[in-house]
Amino acid sequence: MSSPIIYVVSDSVGETAELVTKAAISQFNGSGMVLKRFPYVEDIEHVDEVLSLVLLDKAMIAYTLVKPEIRSYMKEQAKKEGITAVDLIGPIIDEIQAFSGKTPLYEPGLVRKLDEDYFKKIEAIEFAVKYDDGRDPRGILKADIVLIGVSRTSKTPLSQYLAHKRLKVANVPLVPEVDPPEELFLVPKEKCFGLKISPEKLNHIRKERLISLGLNDQASYANIERIKEELDFFDQLVNKIKCPVIEVTNKAVEETANLILNYIYKGTS
């Protein structure tokens, strides 16, 4: 006796249909069943082709077709031909629509798109952590965005915020005594953003930071003259790179991020 055949049919890649069907088959210890996946079945002609093959193989069908007209056609034609066909997604879409009162998008492949979007976000977050605070200058050339600024100009939280927008961000702290990495002069200036802040605001932020760490707020880190020296160094560098500069003195991270995003999208539109 030949092995039972199940055609897994989908208007996308068919991963969901195959996963559900395999889960069901597992309850029969496999039983020697054969799966044949037919992805991207998007119109009536494709459905007819599948049905003719199913008849030849004396198979059954498990399908995920989100477009109502294609789904209905599959159901009607399978019934007419005496083919066992199981709709894996249609009933739950209909029930959710009735329950929520919302209209489905009826767009194939959205689960895959959502998965890809999620993994891009995770990849960007991991990138921001790996190339935070100039830890590895090689990240500068791999990044979508490079942030430069002196200490306490919100480079790290801004990197993480932009990472959640699926952008790979490297940030580089600037210190007068340390030569900036050579990669900064190789990256396209449109990808690089200088974060500028007033000396008074930075002085306040750094003092608060020292106090929170239980340290003396009179340390050179928070000294106004030292801060001005660092900011002068910053000005010299951004003028040399000729990259955009964003004033962050009184801006929330979200505001700065939106300015960067607007600049990028304007440049690519």
Side-chain angles (χ1 to χ4, degrees):
M1 182 179 175
S2 59
S3 300
I5 300 172
I6 301 176
Y7 276 51
V8 176
V9 181
S10 173
D11 45 20
S12 184
V13 293
E15 289 178 346
T16 301
E18 184 170 338
L19 183 63
V20 173
T21 305
K22 282 183 174 178
I25 289 175
S26 70
Q27 297 300 313
F28 301 89
N29 290 323
S31 298
M33 296 185 192
V34 176
L35 293 186
K36 293 186 177 182
R37 190 200 289 193
F38 280 77
Y40 304 113
V41 175
E42 299 174 312
D43 54 41
I44 287 172
E45 288 74 18
H46 287 151
V47 173
D48 287 338
E49 289 174 17
V50 171
L51 290 171
S52 64
L53 293 170
V54 170
L55 284 169
L56 288 174
D57 278 341
K58 295 182 174 57
M60 69 169 282
I61 303 172
Y63 63 95
T64 53
L65 302 169
V66 299
K67 293 181 178 178
E69 63 276 15
I70 306 302
R71 196 187 338 145
S72 295
Y73 185 79
M74 170 68 87
K75 182 178 180 181
E76 292 165 6
Q77 293 303 112
K79 184 176 181 181
K80 186 183 294 184
E81 298 290 349
I83 296 170
T84 300
V86 181
D87 184 353
L88 299 176
I89 199 168
I92 193 168
I93 288 177
D94 295 340
E95 291 297 333
I96 291 173
Q97 181 178 7
F99 174 74
S100 67
K102 299 182 181 297
T103 303
L105 296 172
Y106 298 124
E107 183 179 339
L110 285 181
V111 169
R112 186 175 180 84
K113 289 179 183 177
L114 288 171
D115 285 346
E116 288 175 356
D117 185 68
Y118 172 78
F119 286 117
K120 282 181 181 177
K121 183 186 293 186
I122 295 301
E123 186 181 1
I125 292 171
E126 290 175 345
F127 186 96
V129 172
K130 183 175 182 179
Y131 297 111
D132 181 49
D133 213 28
R135 289 175 187 164
D136 185 345
R138 291 175 298 180
I140 293 171
L141 298 178
K142 300 175 184 178
D144 298 315
I145 295 171
V146 180
L147 304 176
I148 59 175
V150 301
S151 175
R152 311 312 296 177
T153 49
S154 299
K155 295 185 299 298
T156 296
L158 185 55
S159 296
Q160 286 294 327
Y161 185 91
L162 290 167
H164 280 80
K165 303 292 183 182
R166 299 172 300 286
L167 291 165
K168 294 179 179 178
V169 185
N171 72 74
V172 181
L174 300 181
V175 183
E177 293 78 16
V178 179
D179 291 335
E182 293 181 8
E183 288 83 355
L184 266 184
F185 303 98
L186 300 175
V187 70
K189 63 181 180 181
E190 297 80 12
K191 288 186 176 184
C192 195
F193 293 86
L195 306 180
K196 188 171 185 176
I197 190 170
S198 73
E200 295 76 20
K201 180 70 172 181
L202 187 55
N203 177 247
H204 173 74
I205 291 172
R206 288 188 175 182
K207 281 188 174 184
E208 291 296 317
R209 176 63 173 164
L210 290 170
I211 291 171
S212 70
L213 294 173
L215 301 173
N216 188 337
D217 66 356
Q218 298 303 311
S220 62
Y221 177 70
N223 179 275
I224 192 68
E225 295 306 318
R226 168 62 184 182
I227 287 172
K228 288 179 179 178
E229 180 186 348
E230 290 183 34
L231 294 176
D232 285 342
F233 179 70
F234 166 83
D235 288 335
Q236 292 170 26
L237 183 63
V238 294
N239 287 335
K240 187 175 182 180
I241 297 174
K242 293 183 170 54
C243 66
V245 175
I246 297 178
E247 174 64 58
V248 300
T249 300
N250 294 309
K251 287 186 177 67
V253 167
E254 295 83 356
E255 292 179 272
T256 305
N258 285 334
L259 288 172
I260 292 173
L261 293 172
N262 288 338
Y263 185 93
I264 291 173
Y265 295 142
K266 184 178 178 181
T268 56
S269 60

